[in-house]
Amino acid sequence: MKISELSKRTQVSIRMIRYYEERGLLIPTRTASGYRQFTAEHIEQINKIKILKDVGFTIEDIRPVMQCQLEAKDGQICGQLKEKITRKIEQIDQSVANLIQAKATLSQYV
């Protein structure tokens, strides 16, 4: 599929897809005339990037994560990815605890 279709399917701008490519997060094939060709796998990769960005990973954090996943065998993830995910889960847990406390405090006023 062309970049415009990938953009529509993922709800990610063409400009951002090109940026992901520049940063090494996506590697499309090229047609003989030079057009980028994307596959369903690229849709999955973009969806993973979106999830990682949503939980606070930076593009610089995401690049090694995506590389680790590409190199993973038999569903195993590399230690670097496990460590990053573990740290992120801890941060999310702390954020949830803070939000619960904030909700409890605010609820006293209504």
Side-chain angles (χ1 to χ4, degrees), residues 18-68:
R18 287 181 180 140
Y19 176 72
Y20 291 162
E21 182 183 1
E22 287 173 14
R23 304 305 297 167
L25 300 176
L26 296 174
I27 304 171
T29 57
R30 297 272 183 166
T31 65
S33 56
Y35 289 102
R36 293 169 178 86
Q37 280 293 109
F38 295 95
T39 65
E41 184 178 313
H42 292 107
I43 294 172
E44 291 177 28
Q45 288 175 327
I46 287 177
N47 288 335
K48 288 175 185 176
I49 292 167
K50 288 167 58 174
I51 289 167
L52 292 170
K53 283 180 61 183
D54 286 347
V55 298
F57 280 80
T58 66
I59 293 297
E60 293 306 312
D61 292 333
I62 294 171
R63 186 176 333 134
V65 169
M66 297 300 288
Q67 186 63 37
C68 175

